Amino acid sequence: MFGIIALVLGILSTILAWNLNPKRLIYSELDGIYKKLDKLYGERDEALAKNDSDTLTRVTADIVRLAERKNSLLQRL
């Protein structure tokens, strides 16, 4: 009986620790940033090809903002 209780508590504490792990959250956010950057680089290339300065300005500002956030997250690791 005590073994089952210990097993359940161990599993629950492992799941809780995994969900609250700050490094996992940082890696998850970094993954999202890399995906957004890939999309923005494509939009930037398309705007350059079309010579669309408005879109290029917006996309470049987003790229810079995400790059700064990425660098701050990498410093926390």
Side-chain angles (χ1 to χ4, degrees):
M1 182 67 164
F2 289 115
I4 294 173
I5 293 172
L7 176 68
V8 170
L9 289 177
I11 291 172
L12 289 176
S13 65
T14 301
I15 292 171
L16 183 63
W18 184 80
N19 283 329
L20 297 177
N21 185 353
K23 284 192 177 186
R24 186 190 65 82
L25 298 175
I26 291 173
Y27 285 125
S28 175
E29 188 173 350
L30 280 172
D31 186 46
I33 287 173
Y34 282 115
K35 288 178 183 177
K36 289 177 188 174
L37 282 173
D38 285 342
K39 180 182 172 226
L40 288 172
Y41 289 141
E43 288 181 27
R44 181 195 63 188
D45 293 342
E46 187 177 316
L48 283 170
K50 292 181 180 179
N51 200 17
D52 184 1
S53 62
D54 293 336
T55 302
L56 184 61
T57 302
R58 179 188 56 80
V59 169
T60 303
D62 289 344
I63 288 172
V64 169
R65 181 183 53 81
L66 285 174
E68 289 173 354
R69 179 66 180 152
K70 178 186 76 167
N71 288 335
S72 70
L73 288 173
L74 288 173
Q75 291 294 320
R76 290 172 48 188
L77 288 178

